[in-house]
Amino acid sequence: MSPVFDCTTPEGRRDGITKATAGVRQGDLVVLPTDTLYGIGADAFTPDAVQRLLDAKGRGREMPPPVLVADVRTIDGLATDVPAYARALIQKWWPGPLTLVLKAQPSLMWDLGDTGGTVAVRMPDHEVALELLREVGPMAVSSANRTGHPASRTVVDAATQLGPSVQFYLDGGPVTGGLPSTIVDCTHDAPVILRHGAIDGEEILAVAAEHLQLPTDPTSEPTGPPEPTDTTDSTAAPTPDLSEESNHE
C-alpha cells in the first residue's frame, strides 16, 4: 500500500512534501492536489517516470501530459518565442486554471511524448502543489485517473483508480475548483482556445487582443491585428493532454 500523507496538517504536509520530493527525484510518481482536481505527477526531466505516468493512466504517447511550474519565470526556460499576448495572460491568471500551449525550447533534455515541439504549461493555485514544485522543479502532471474514468476530486478517488502504480499520495482534502483549466494554444500570431474551462474564453480573447502584434513590414497594408479564435478544434496545435484535471477524457 502506497503511503498517504495528510497535507491538511503542518506535520503531515512537511513529512509528505519531504518524502514525495525524494521519491520524485528518483523517478517515483506522486498524486497531488491542485486548484482544480487531483493530478498524477512525475519529474518532467525523467523520461522513464513520464512513461510510467502514461502507463498508470492507460494512455499512449500521442497525448503528452502538461507541465506544472511554481514560478512564472520558469516559462522562459521551457518555452521559446513566447508571444506578448501569452505573457499578458500569464500576468493576469497565473497562478490559476489557465494552461498555455507554447513552442518548447529545443534544447530541453526531456521526453513527454509526441509533443510536436510544443509544451502545455500551467502554474497551479494550490500551496501544496506549489511547495512540491518548488522543491522538485517542473513536473509532468495529468489528471489522477485511469483513461475513460472520472477525474479525482479526493485522494481516495485517485488511490482507488491508480493504486500501487503511484508511490506517494498527498492528501490536501477535497478539491474546490470543480472545472478544468482553460487551454489556450499560443503557438500562433493569435490565441486559439483548445478547451473551455474555469476561465471564460471571451475574457481570455479580450485580454489577448490588447497585446497582439501588428505587422512590422512598412510596405504591408495596415490590416490590423489577427483575430483570436475560439474553437475546440484540437488540430490547431499538436494535441496536449486535454484531460489534465478534467472530468471528461
Side-chain angles (χ1 to χ4, degrees):
M1 177 69 179
S2 302
V4 178
F5 297 92
D6 182 3
C7 294
T8 64
T9 69
E11 298 79 9
R13 177 168 159 177
R14 184 166 53 249
D15 190 28
I17 293 294
T18 298
K19 291 179 179 175
T21 295
V24 171
R25 286 174 176 167
Q26 66 181 19
D28 291 338
L29 303 182
V30 59
V31 159
L32 65 155
T34 78
D35 49 333
T36 53
L37 297 170
Y38 273 81
I40 174 175
D43 179 6
F45 294 96
T46 303
D48 289 346
V50 175
Q51 185 59 55
R52 285 197 295 275
L53 184 157
L54 295 174
D55 293 342
K57 286 180 61 69
R59 166 150 294 169
R61 289 173 51 83
E62 71 280 359
M63 294 193 73
V67 173
L68 299 191
V69 299
D71 194 307
V72 170
R73 293 170 294 181
T74 308
I75 199 74
D76 290 305
L78 303 180
T80 185
D81 300 327
V82 180
Y85 71 79
R87 296 188 188 277
L89 298 178
I90 288 170
Q91 182 176 8
K92 184 170 180 62
W93 280 295
W94 276 18
L98 176 66
T99 300
L100 302 183
V101 178
L102 300 161
K103 296 177 182 178
Q105 285 282 2
S107 61
L108 288 174
M109 302 298 291
W110 64 8
D111 183 5
L112 299 174
D114 301 332
T115 65
T118 67
V119 59
V121 190
R122 185 168 92 82
M123 181 179 176
D125 190 12
H126 194 290
E127 193 50 46
V128 173
L130 290 173
E131 187 172 345
L132 181 63
L133 291 164
R134 291 185 194 109
E135 294 295 329
V136 175
M139 292 182 64
V141 179
S142 183
S143 54
N145 58 289
R146 294 283 295 175
T147 297
H149 293 263
S152 299
R153 299 180 182 276
T154 69
V155 77
V156 173
D157 294 340
T160 299
Q161 296 190 52
L162 300 172
S165 64
V166 173
Q167 286 70 49
F168 300 93
Y169 286 86
L170 302 182
D171 185 0
V175 296
T176 58
L179 291 175
S181 65
T182 302
I183 300 179
V184 183
D185 175 10
C186 297
T187 63
H188 306 286
D189 290 338
V192 178
I193 295 181
L194 299 183
R195 182 182 71 188
H196 293 278
I199 301 175
D200 180 72
E202 291 299 320
E203 189 174 356
I204 287 175
L205 298 182
V207 170
E210 299 176 1
H211 298 271
L212 294 178
Q213 300 287 336
L214 290 170
T216 56
D217 182 356
T219 65
S220 64
E221 292 294 327
T223 58
E227 287 293 326
T229 305
D230 183 353
T231 180
T232 56
D233 178 8
S234 61
T235 62
T239 307
D241 177 0
L242 298 184
S243 70
E244 182 259 333
E245 300 162 354
S246 171
N247 58 5
H248 52 86
E249 292 197 297

